Amino acid sequence: MNHLRFLRYVDEVARAGSVRQAAERLHVAPSAVIRRIQDLEDELGAPIFERLPRGMRLTAAGELFVAYIRDRTAELERVRSNIEDLSGLRRGLVRLVCSQALAPVFLPHAVQAFREAHPAVEFEVNVADHLHALDVLRDFDSDLALVFNLQPEPDLQVLGSYEQKLVAWMHHTHPLVEKPSLRLRDCVGWPLALAGRGTAGREMLDRFLARSSVRFAPAVQSNSFEFLRGFLHREQAVSFQISVGALTDGGELVAREIEDHGFPRGKLLLAQLRGRRLPVAAYSFAEHLKRHLAEPAALLA
């Protein structure tokens, strides 16, 4: 399928914005990439790229052509998966984009459980926030999204929706652990370790605080949940996380529910592009996730 390989040259240049970088990723000479692009432009009768002093940018015709390439590539992966499934090989590739909170424990456990039954299936897992996950689906870089508070869009098909509470999260030696549940005001006066602005959980918290008399002055803010988790091990701070991401670290960390009336809850969504026929492996993993997420214990770290 050499023609598909040559189409990939165009896609890589579009992603990299540079012939040299695309050639490095493809392990071919830059001259080979340029030659194939020129051949395709001659066949189409229109330029695919604008040649700029600092790189390559898609033309309007190029945007249409790259969308076609990505659609055909995704369809080929689905057909390959179907053929392998018919032959009994049970191979395949599952490409998933997920929220940062799911990456340390929940998703590795789900993948490991699936691979016990399907050891030849491979996974590509990317982490993205709720703002960028849909772009990853639209670019055909992922088959599935498992993302907190993913916004509804006409081209998004929701396969499952699972309620998630926002909980307080702290070290097991923190004095607030003695309380079975907390009010938000209980957290004032302790160092606060908050997720960066723009994360779904932080947006929910900020909206609630805007209507509340409680005022927070965070000690640290970070877009890395791993940093926040490490900080809780080193200081008597309080953070906030969705319940599936509030890792216990073997009992070292503890989550407590917030009792304030109207304290926010969100939705963990499993989704795909509407109308997209999933490869067999991706469809099977989506069904596996739905069963896993239907168990209440699965949504607790």
Side-chain angles (χ1 to χ4, degrees), residues 50 58 98 105 159 173 185 293:
E50 291 181 54
L58 287 170
C98 73
V105 174
L159 305 176
T173 60
R185 193 171 297 279
L293 289 163

Side-chain angles (χ1 to χ4, degrees), residues 92-124:
L93 173 66
V94 178
R95 299 178 305 164
L96 176 77
V97 59
C98 73
S99 291
Q100 193 178 166
L102 303 170
V105 174
F106 174 81
L107 199 55
H109 176 71
V111 170
Q112 179 266 330
F114 185 81
R115 279 179 45 79
E116 283 185 355
H118 308 283
V121 172
E122 299 175 1
F123 283 80
E124 286 183 7

Side-chain angles (χ1 to χ4, degrees), residues 208-223:
F208 181 82
L209 288 172
R211 305 189 305 267
S212 168
S213 60
V214 176
R215 293 294 175 262
F216 276 178
V220 297
Q221 302 181 66
S222 177
N223 64 354

Side-chain angles (χ1 to χ4, degrees), residues 3-201:
H3 67 290
L4 295 175
R5 179 161 57 89
F6 299 149
L7 292 179
R8 188 182 169 206
Y9 289 4
V10 175
D11 192 21
E12 284 297 337
V13 173
R15 293 179 190 278
S18 160
V19 170
R20 181 183 58 79
Q21 290 182 26
E24 289 175 356
R25 294 178 187 178
L26 295 162
H27 305 291
V28 298
S31 59
V33 176
I34 293 171
R35 186 168 59 252
R36 294 306 176 187
I37 289 174
Q38 290 172 340
D39 290 344
L40 287 167
E41 288 179 328
D42 289 342
E43 287 187 39
L44 291 171
I48 298 172
F49 291 99
E50 291 181 54
R51 276 70 170 172
L52 304 173
R54 293 185 176 273
M56 306 278 274
R57 183 170 63 197
L58 287 170
T59 63
E63 294 277 3
L64 292 173
F65 190 57
V66 166
Y68 163 81
I69 291 171
R70 292 173 182 173
D71 184 62
R72 293 304 91 197
T73 302
E75 184 66 11
L76 177 62
E77 287 299 323
R78 186 189 67 80
V79 171
R80 278 179 175 155
S81 180
N82 287 343
I83 291 171
E84 290 168 348
D85 194 62
L86 287 171
S87 65
L89 296 175
R90 302 294 174 183
R91 294 176 182 168
L93 173 66
V94 178
R95 299 178 305 164
L96 176 77
V97 59
C98 73
S99 291
Q100 193 178 166
L102 303 170
V105 174
F106 174 81
L107 199 55
H109 176 71
V111 170
Q112 179 266 330
F114 185 81
R115 279 179 45 79
E116 283 185 355
H118 308 283
V121 172
E122 299 175 1
F123 283 80
E124 286 183 7
V125 179
N126 290 306
V127 173
D129 60 29
H130 63 300
L131 300 174
H132 296 106
L134 189 54
D135 292 336
V136 176
L137 287 177
R138 286 171 173 159
D139 287 342
F140 293 96
D141 287 334
S142 182
D143 304 307
L144 299 166
L146 185 61
V147 176
F148 183 60
N149 276 9
L150 189 62
Q151 295 301 306
E153 295 284 349
D155 58 347
L156 187 71
Q157 179 179 346
V158 175
L159 305 176
S161 177
Y162 310 92
E163 185 176 88
Q164 284 286 287
K165 298 176 181 178
L166 201 61
V167 297
W169 193 30
M170 66 203 75
H171 196 263
H172 75 96
T173 60
H174 198 292
L176 290 179
V177 167
E178 297 178 6
K179 297 187 175 187
S181 61
L182 302 173
R183 296 190 64 81
L184 206 56
R185 193 171 297 279
D186 296 330
C187 304
V188 175
W190 296 101
L192 297 173
L194 301 186
R197 296 185 188 278
T199 60

Side-chain angles (χ1 to χ4, degrees), residues 184 203-212 260-264:
L184 206 56
E203 288 179 350
M204 290 169 54
L205 180 62
D206 285 349
R207 283 196 297 269
F208 181 82
L209 288 172
R211 305 189 305 267
S212 168
D260 294 58
H261 178 71
F263 196 67

